Amino acid sequence: MHINNRQIDDIHKEKIFEILTFGFFLFMMIFRLMHSALWGDEWTEYKFSQAHILNGDLYRNIISTFQPPLYNFIMHFWLKAGTSIVWFRSFNIFLGFLSGIFLFRSLTVLYSRKTACAALCILAVCYQWIYCIQECSEYALMLCALFGALCFYILSFKQFTYFRMVMFVLCAIASIYSQYGAVFVALPLLLLFFLGNIFDKNTNKVRKIWIVVIYLGSFVIAALPLYFYFLRLQMSGNKITENKVSLTPELFMDFPFCLGKIIGYFFHLYPGEDMWSFLFSIAGFLLISLSVMLVVRKSSSNDGWVKKSLLICTWIGYFMHYLLVRLHIYAMTHPGESSGFYCRYSYFYLPLLCLAVPVVILEYKAAADREVYPAILKYTVGILCASIIGLSFCSTIKNWNKSLDNEFAKIWLEHNGWEDTTYLYGCAPDGFQYYISHSKEYREGFLDKATTAIDINNLPTRFWAWRTNWGGDKWQETIDKAKSLGYNVIIYNDSEYEGQLAYCSFDN
């Protein structure tokens, strides 16, 4: 086939655009990666992952949490190569880039490379995606595994191979072994893959037998050990799901709108102003309505079933998630205290929505008559989407502070903090020890006067009060006591949860 110079130029431009897209995607994940210090949960992952495996310490650490074992197991070996915070944080960059490759491949197969590039650019400016990638936790591993499962799911229906099927099952298992919330995507996806092959008249018997064998083997080798050695023990040792809520019709009042508001949360626009709440509620309602219309539409092509099954998977997962959150079974942090829908426990939606939303938009656009799509509507929707993406991009570029220990360390060192007593509150001991001991100014003995034993009735003449994250309520009590005794109190920062730092001196 003859290819002229113009076609060659178009191919070159397309390749350049794809390279720039992936470059932008990578840049957004790396930009200001080290801006925030590690916070409490990250320090827990950092310490737990370095525990010994053979003596059972790592296992005991894991079952003391509500987390599957895969992230800590992989991170154990990752931290063998280096224990710096930069190295610790870099792991998720690799996972994020691999997720982008899976997403690009999925949408290229379903639609086009341009569609894939557009989705990758939008994901790159999604606030919660970048937040997740730049946080040292199991969620990025879960998302990467889900992106992989969805990619191999699509490829298997496009052109079946046993390698693709096995990779699909392995990615689905890996996602659940990374974070339990992945079941809202992995289980419906596994079920749809099974049904789509077993009840397909064109699928030969040998393949059906192998699918049954692989599924049974996965249940015995992966599912049962995860339940008996991890989930069962974690649930029995944690009482946060005991205060369940009764199932009533009122629980479903927000069902048609909640998913839209979760999308708003991902772009850092909800919870927020009433205007965004209304717009994302409408978006959620439209997603449900249009997807139902697309699913019931007849389609004989294999691509048609794959696209429909992605929508079906989305709504099965959404119904399961919505119900369990409302019943106070999932996303609980303390007894009777739910994180709700707009939190990191909803991250599993990201891979699904990256595929389901393009399917709804592009399939409806292709099916709808032009009179149904007036120009004013297209421009209005376009402006709203551009506004959402722009605002999310601005919020993401500003970055965030989950902890201020790195900034506090600079202040402490500048003022010769090692000369006085330093009281450490909440999660401060981890950050204090790391950022002080890894500073250029560090000398032996700098940590000697730091303590978590605080007696406010016997305060020294001069002391620092350094608090980070949860469990540091006594910080304010100490400051109030010092003021009442006539201490000169210099408060360097009072950001409460992110960090509080003060220097108190009493000179007669």
Side-chain angles (χ1 to χ4, degrees):
M1 182 177 66
H2 177 70
I3 300 178
N4 57 41
N5 291 335
R6 184 174 181 180
Q7 289 174 316
I8 293 174
D9 289 340
D10 289 341
I11 293 173
H12 286 165
K13 289 178 181 178
E14 187 178 73
K15 292 295 181 184
I16 291 171
F17 181 68
E18 290 171 8
I19 291 171
L20 290 175
T21 298
F22 273 99
F24 176 67
F25 185 66
L26 182 61
F27 165 78
M28 289 299 294
M29 292 188 293
I30 293 176
F31 182 68
R32 304 193 83 183
L33 178 65
M34 302 305 298
H35 172 68
S36 174
L38 297 190
W39 73 295
D41 276 3
E42 291 178 295
W43 284 120
T44 299
E45 302 290 0
Y46 184 75
K47 292 184 295 183
F48 277 18
S49 298
Q50 295 182 70
H52 292 288
I53 293 179
L54 296 180
N55 66 2
D57 285 348
L58 182 61
Y59 174 71
R60 283 187 287 272
N61 284 343
I62 293 170
I63 62 173
S64 70
T65 70
F66 243 150
Q67 181 177 316
L70 187 59
Y71 177 77
N72 290 123
F73 182 77
I74 294 174
M75 190 52 61
H76 176 84
F77 295 98
W78 180 264
L79 291 174
K80 289 287 186 183
T83 56
S84 72
I85 299 303
V86 176
W87 180 249
F88 186 39
R89 280 238 168 107
S90 298
F91 179 69
N92 281 358
I93 302 300
F94 165 74
L95 295 177
F97 195 77
L98 184 58
S99 299
I101 294 174
F102 285 138
L103 175 60
F104 184 86
R105 179 68 172 137
S106 299
L107 285 173
T108 298
V109 171
L110 289 177
Y111 292 104
S112 68
R113 302 175 81 89
K114 289 183 178 179
T115 300
C117 284
L120 207 59
C121 287
I122 294 172
L123 182 60
V125 300
C126 178
Y127 182 92
Q128 291 300 332
W129 164 255
I130 302 300
Y131 190 100
C132 176
I133 292 299
Q134 293 192 353
E135 181 177 66
C136 301
S137 69
E138 73 276 15
Y139 293 94
L141 181 60
M142 173 196 70
L143 292 178
C144 182
L146 286 178
F147 272 115
L150 287 162
C151 180
F152 286 111
Y153 174 85
I154 293 167
L155 291 173
S156 293
F157 278 107
K158 186 74 174 179
Q159 184 177 355
F160 180 88
T161 67
Y162 286 103
F163 171 78
R164 290 176 172 179
M165 180 186 69
V166 170
M167 288 303 297
F168 159 66
V169 174
L170 288 176
C171 285
I173 292 172
S175 69
I176 300 172
Y177 264 75
S178 302
Q179 212 277 327
Y180 291 123
V183 298
F184 296 119
V185 181
L187 289 187
L189 209 59
L190 287 165
L191 177 63
L192 290 167
F193 183 88
F194 184 84
L195 296 177
N197 280 275
I198 296 300
F199 292 101
D200 185 0
K201 296 179 181 179
N202 298 320
T203 302
N204 62 64
K205 292 183 179 179
V206 175
R207 187 200 299 183
K208 292 180 180 180
I209 292 172
W210 271 111
I211 290 174
V212 172
V213 169
I214 289 173
Y215 269 55
L216 288 175
S218 300
F219 179 76
V220 173
I221 296 172
L224 290 180
L226 182 63
Y227 173 74
F228 282 108
Y229 294 108
F230 293 94
L231 181 60
R232 180 176 61 91
L233 299 174
Q234 290 166 329
M235 292 185 70
S236 64
N238 203 314
K239 308 299 182 182
I240 63 175
T241 60
E242 289 190 347
N243 298 318
K244 297 182 179 64
V245 175
S246 300
L247 183 62
T248 61
E250 289 75 17
L251 292 179
F252 293 91
M253 293 294 292
D254 198 36
F255 182 80
F257 314 108
C258 188
L259 185 59
K261 290 185 280 191
I262 291 175
I263 295 174
Y265 160 74
F266 287 152
F267 286 93
H268 203 51
L269 293 171
Y270 187 85
E273 299 177 6
D274 291 339
M275 179 190 72
W276 289 116
S277 175
F278 173 75
L279 290 175
F280 284 115
S281 295
I282 297 300
F285 180 77
L286 288 174
L287 272 177
I288 292 179
S289 303
L290 295 177
S291 61
V292 169
M293 186 170 61
L294 291 172
V295 168
V296 299
R297 190 181 66 181
K298 290 184 178 180
S299 176
S300 58
S301 68
N302 200 31
D303 280 354
W305 158 249
V306 174
K307 294 170 183 176
K308 287 181 179 182
S309 67
L310 291 174
L311 298 179
I312 293 170
C313 179
T314 302
W315 301 123
I316 293 175
Y318 175 51
F319 178 79
M320 292 167 56
H321 175 243
Y322 184 92
L323 184 62
L324 293 181
V325 171
R326 287 297 189 206
L327 293 177
H328 282 194
I329 297 174
Y330 181 72
M332 301 298 293
T333 53
H334 299 288
E337 183 177 323
S338 172
S339 292
F341 298 101
Y342 318 112
C343 63
R344 57 183 175 168
Y345 300 121
S346 297
Y347 280 165
F348 64 85
Y349 281 110
L350 277 168
L352 265 181
L353 291 172
C354 284
L355 297 175
V357 172
V359 167
V360 170
I361 293 173
L362 296 177
E363 291 300 309
Y364 182 72
K365 183 179 179 182
D369 187 82
R370 287 195 174 186
E371 293 180 1
V372 184
Y373 247 87
I376 186 67
L377 179 60
K378 288 191 289 186
Y379 288 129
T380 301
V381 173
I383 291 171
L384 283 173
C385 290
S387 300
I388 292 169
I389 293 169
L391 290 170
S392 181
F393 173 76
C394 292
S395 298
T396 305
I397 287 294
K398 291 177 183 177
N399 212 268
W400 45 78
N401 277 308
K402 295 170 284 187
S403 165
L404 296 168
D405 286 334
N406 53 348
E407 298 298 326
F408 289 176
K410 294 176 184 177
I411 297 171
W412 190 88
L413 288 166
E414 286 174 2
H415 292 83
N416 301 335
W418 60 88
E419 296 178 351
D420 303 312
T421 300
T422 299
Y423 290 136
L424 301 174
Y425 305 79
C427 299
D430 295 315
F432 171 81
Q433 183 173 7
Y434 182 88
Y435 290 107
I436 297 299
S437 64
H438 285 75
S439 65
K440 295 179 180 179
E441 298 89 348
Y442 176 71
R443 300 290 183 273
E444 187 176 350
F446 274 23
L447 308 178
D448 291 351
K449 292 186 178 181
T451 180
T452 57
I454 303 153
D455 181 3
I456 63 172
N457 294 316
N458 189 26
L459 297 174
T461 304
R462 295 184 301 273
F463 67 91
W464 291 84
W466 180 327
R467 179 265 176 107
T468 309
N469 301 137
W470 65 82
D473 297 337
K474 203 172 182 179
W475 184 91
Q476 190 61 54
E477 186 180 346
T478 306
I479 299 303
D480 292 341
K481 181 69 173 181
K483 288 180 178 179
S484 69
L485 293 174
Y487 279 74
N488 178 34
V489 178
I490 302 173
I491 297 179
Y492 291 96
N493 197 293
D494 191 5
S495 298
E496 295 186 359
Y497 191 78
E498 288 79 13
Q500 295 169 298
L501 182 68
Y503 180 68
C504 305
S505 60
F506 185 79
D507 298 317
N508 293 324

